[in-house]
Amino acid sequence: MKATQLYKDFFESEKSGGLVLIAFTLISLLIANSVFGNSYIHLWETQFAGHSIEHWINDGLMTIFFLLIGLELEREIYKGELSHIKDALLPIFGALGGMLVPALIFLLFNFGTNTQSGAGIPMATDIAFALGILSLLGNRVPTSLKIFLTALAVIDDLGAIIIIAVFYTKTLLWANLLIALGIFTFLLILNRLKVNNLIPYLIGGVIMWYFMLHSGVHATITGVLLAFAIPFGDGGEKSPSYVLQHFLHKPVAFIIMPIFALANTAIVIGSDFNSIISQNYSVGIALGLIIGKPLGIITILFLAIKLKFCQLPNELNWKSILGVGFLAGIGFTMSIFITLLAFEDETIINNSKFIILLSSLIAGIIGFIALKLSLKEVHLEE
């Protein structure tokens, strides 16, 4: 497993962004539970052009985040870890297990209830947070482990995007959807005609976003569609895809994601802690992220390797895979995002966010300790 320069840049920005996310989340929680709490929460509910500031962040700014995810996924498919099926199968099987088992665990506690729509919540992995925790282990982490976690999380995000598009679209306005898809088709034609100027793609992307926003399909899907319409070419430093991906890294990691964290973690932690953690949806989210993620990843990978569909790289062992499995239980951004789509009751949303944060913290700590011990053993053997 070789790491390209763009991957190295991505890892550096993501790991730093993860640490920034942690800081902004703590700041948001502290303010929300201080004497300024009510004013702080109302700030995000302030209406602007017909929508709250929080809504503009989640439907607008997050589209740029999904655009970056799409560009990263495109690069992985064309030139990265997913470009060779033999290499791609390891993180693909891992991601599938890490999505299916948490969803099944959630449904075990919530099937047939008004909260069963939250099955997608524990399926997600937060790339920035996971890589941020991994970076704390320093140079002892083999490159193959970093790439495996990144590929796993990118595939996981693709799964989350598909889930959002298929299961969290409630009402379709076909006219607007067809216009949005028509614009996407036009951008694909520009791509085939080798139009490499980014401006028509970005203008078309904004118009496509507007119609997608009013179609019933979540507007952030526009970001992924736009990513695959933008010419990839040879993937070199002058290709439009590379230029845009390189440009977006730092704004997304250090501006968009921290703003998302501030707006969506303004959570008031009440005194009825026991009541919150005993709810079926809370148990489903917590067990899905903390237990379901590592269990699903390890189980499906073990079966895939036994059946000789794929194999572990020499630098990896089952203990390090287990550690990565726990890090994959850091749901945060995508889990909170799906929560906002899955539920309408503000109390359930607020409680779910709190459980996501708590579960992600526990999964992150366990993953860090597990990896530290496994990497220490490898170091001693050397």
Side-chain angles (χ1 to χ4, degrees):
M1 292 186 180
K2 294 182 179 179
T4 64
Q5 184 57 48
L6 193 61
Y7 166 76
K8 290 176 182 176
D9 292 342
F10 165 68
F11 180 77
E12 290 299 318
S13 68
E14 286 294 321
K15 77 174 187 182
S16 302
L19 299 177
V20 171
L21 267 182
I22 293 171
F24 273 76
T25 299
L26 290 174
I27 290 169
S28 183
L29 286 171
L30 287 172
I31 297 175
N33 290 276
S34 71
V35 293
F36 306 105
N38 286 335
S39 299
Y40 180 65
I41 292 169
H42 288 314
L43 168 67
W44 303 112
E45 295 171 351
T46 303
Q47 294 294 306
F48 174 75
H51 295 289
S52 67
I53 293 175
E54 181 183 358
H55 186 274
W56 283 114
I57 291 167
N58 294 336
D59 280 35
L61 283 183
M62 286 300 286
T63 302
I64 302 173
F65 165 76
F66 276 85
L67 171 58
L68 179 60
I69 291 294
L71 292 169
E72 288 159 356
L73 179 62
E74 181 184 44
R75 181 161 296 275
E76 286 291 325
I77 290 171
Y78 287 132
K79 293 190 72 173
E81 186 66 13
L82 307 180
S83 60
H84 299 97
I85 188 63
K86 186 178 178 181
D87 294 331
L89 283 175
L90 190 73
I92 286 174
F93 278 117
L96 285 174
M99 288 187 284
L100 291 175
V101 174
L104 289 173
I105 288 175
F106 184 92
L107 288 173
L108 184 66
F109 291 92
N110 293 271
F111 186 75
T113 71
N114 65 336
T115 54
Q116 70 175 9
S117 58
I121 296 170
M123 296 173 72
T125 295
D126 189 288
I127 298 178
F129 260 123
L131 291 182
I133 298 297
L134 191 65
S135 70
L136 297 176
L137 293 162
N139 296 327
R140 289 176 297 173
V141 181
T143 301
S144 57
L145 192 63
K146 297 175 185 176
I147 294 176
F148 173 71
L149 176 58
T150 304
L152 181 91
V154 168
I155 297 166
D156 201 301
D157 279 344
L158 174 61
I161 290 162
I162 294 170
I163 288 164
I164 290 168
V166 175
F167 295 104
Y168 294 109
T169 297
K170 296 172 183 175
T171 304
L172 272 179
L173 296 177
W174 284 101
N176 288 335
L177 179 60
L178 290 173
I179 292 172
L181 294 177
I183 295 168
F184 175 57
T185 303
F186 175 71
L187 295 179
L188 289 177
I189 293 171
L190 291 184
N191 185 322
R192 296 293 294 174
L193 293 174
K194 300 189 184 303
V195 176
N196 289 327
N197 190 316
L198 275 170
I199 293 176
Y201 294 98
L202 297 179
I203 293 174
V206 171
I207 300 171
M208 178 167 55
W209 173 84
Y210 174 83
F211 284 101
M212 194 69 79
L213 178 69
H214 294 88
S215 72
V217 177
H218 205 270
T220 51
I221 302 299
T222 307
V224 181
L225 295 178
L226 179 59
F228 280 88
I230 291 171
F232 184 81
D234 62 359
E237 293 185 12
K238 294 184 179 179
S239 74
S241 178
Y242 183 102
V243 170
L244 185 59
Q245 185 179 349
H246 186 73
F247 173 80
L248 289 177
H249 270 162
K250 287 182 170 55
V252 168
F254 300 110
I255 299 175
I256 291 175
M257 297 313 297
I259 290 175
F260 175 86
L262 288 174
N264 289 282
T265 58
I267 305 167
V268 177
I269 302 172
S271 57
D272 54 344
F273 181 75
N274 289 335
S275 174
I276 294 173
I277 63 173
S278 63
Q279 299 296 322
N280 284 352
Y281 58 86
S282 299
V283 175
I285 292 170
L287 292 182
L289 289 173
I290 300 169
I291 304 298
K293 274 289 184 181
L295 179 63
I297 290 169
I298 283 283
T299 303
I300 300 300
L301 272 186
F302 181 78
L303 292 173
I305 289 171
K306 280 293 182 183
L307 295 171
K308 300 190 184 303
F309 288 122
C310 54
Q311 62 182 27
L312 281 182
N314 293 331
E315 291 179 302
L316 301 186
N317 56 45
W318 287 111
K319 289 181 180 178
S320 60
I321 293 293
L322 180 62
V324 164
F326 279 109
L327 289 189
I330 303 174
F332 194 71
T333 306
M334 293 301 290
S335 291
I336 289 177
F337 193 81
I338 293 174
T339 298
L340 299 172
L341 301 176
F343 303 136
E344 295 181 359
D345 186 291
E346 285 299 321
T347 300
I348 294 177
I349 290 173
N350 196 68
N351 292 346
S352 296
K353 287 180 180 180
F354 174 69
I355 294 298
I356 289 166
L357 291 178
L358 184 61
S359 303
S360 296
L361 175 64
I362 293 170
I365 291 172
I366 296 173
F368 176 81
I369 294 172
L371 282 171
K372 189 172 183 179
L373 292 174
S374 68
L375 294 173
K376 185 178 181 180
E377 286 179 10
V378 172
H379 181 70
L380 289 173
E381 289 173 4
E382 294 173 350

